[in-house]
Amino acid sequence: MAYWLLKSEPFKYSWDRMVADGRTHWDGVRNYQASNNLKAMVAGDRAFFYHSNEGLEIVGIVEIVRTYYPDPSDESGRFGMVDVAPVMPVKVPVTLKQIKLDPLLQGMALVRQSRLSVCPVGDEEWARVCDLAGIAVPA
């Protein structure tokens, strides 16, 4: 299983809406590196759901439930999307400030490539963030 982080602006698509919807497609990605990350995802992978712009914090965990397929909103046909479903909220949101201050997390793609909307998370980083979030590493 691989781990990821997906950014969403809460005024556009929040964790609460993700939970209410029960499943959604992760579309609109137009950065090639972020798109390559979407392509690398497989069903069963997990991702942190991160509120960007407002909050700047990890608020939940989602599972990839459908692998990469064409994004119909992309007229060029170059970009795609995946489907995700909520797994669980975190008990304690983990802020970007906490992540930047934690020596174990300073190498996270979230910190190194702050503009990237879909980024990988290493196994150790995943475990550390879960610990900060007050949750066991979900199986």
Side-chain angles (χ1 to χ4, degrees):
M1 175 187 320
Y3 300 111
W4 308 93
L5 182 137
L6 301 172
K7 291 182 180 179
S8 181
E9 297 173 2
F11 72 92
K12 289 185 179 177
Y13 197 84
S14 69
W15 172 254
D16 290 340
R17 183 163 171 206
M18 171 82 252
V19 171
D21 289 348
R23 178 179 175 144
T24 194
H25 49 269
W26 207 264
D27 64 347
V29 174
R30 297 297 184 264
N31 171 284
Y32 284 102
Q33 188 173 1
S35 179
N36 286 338
N37 289 334
L38 287 177
K39 287 177 186 177
M41 294 177 175
V42 298
D45 282 356
R46 298 287 173 95
F48 289 124
F49 191 103
Y50 178 85
H51 278 166
S52 62
N53 289 348
E54 298 171 32
L56 301 176
E57 59 191 3
I58 293 170
V59 294
I61 295 175
V62 297
E63 181 173 329
I64 310 310
V65 294
R66 181 177 176 192
T67 57
Y68 193 83
Y69 61 101
D71 181 343
S73 71
D74 174 31
E75 294 178 10
S76 74
R78 289 187 292 239
F79 296 100
M81 58 190 182
V82 299
D83 287 359
V84 299
V87 174
M88 64 188 298
V90 298
K91 289 184 180 176
V92 179
V94 180
T95 67
L96 178 59
K97 184 177 181 178
Q98 284 177 278
I99 291 168
K100 286 181 173 181
L101 291 173
D102 192 308
L104 298 174
L105 300 176
Q106 290 177 356
M108 277 185 81
L110 174 65
V111 175
R112 290 182 295 104
Q113 297 175 294
S114 61
R115 308 263 311 145
L116 198 58
S117 64
V118 179
C119 44
V121 175
D123 293 348
E124 296 82 17
E125 295 166 341
W126 183 268
R128 178 63 179 147
V129 171
C130 285
D131 183 50
L132 292 172
I135 58 173
V137 177

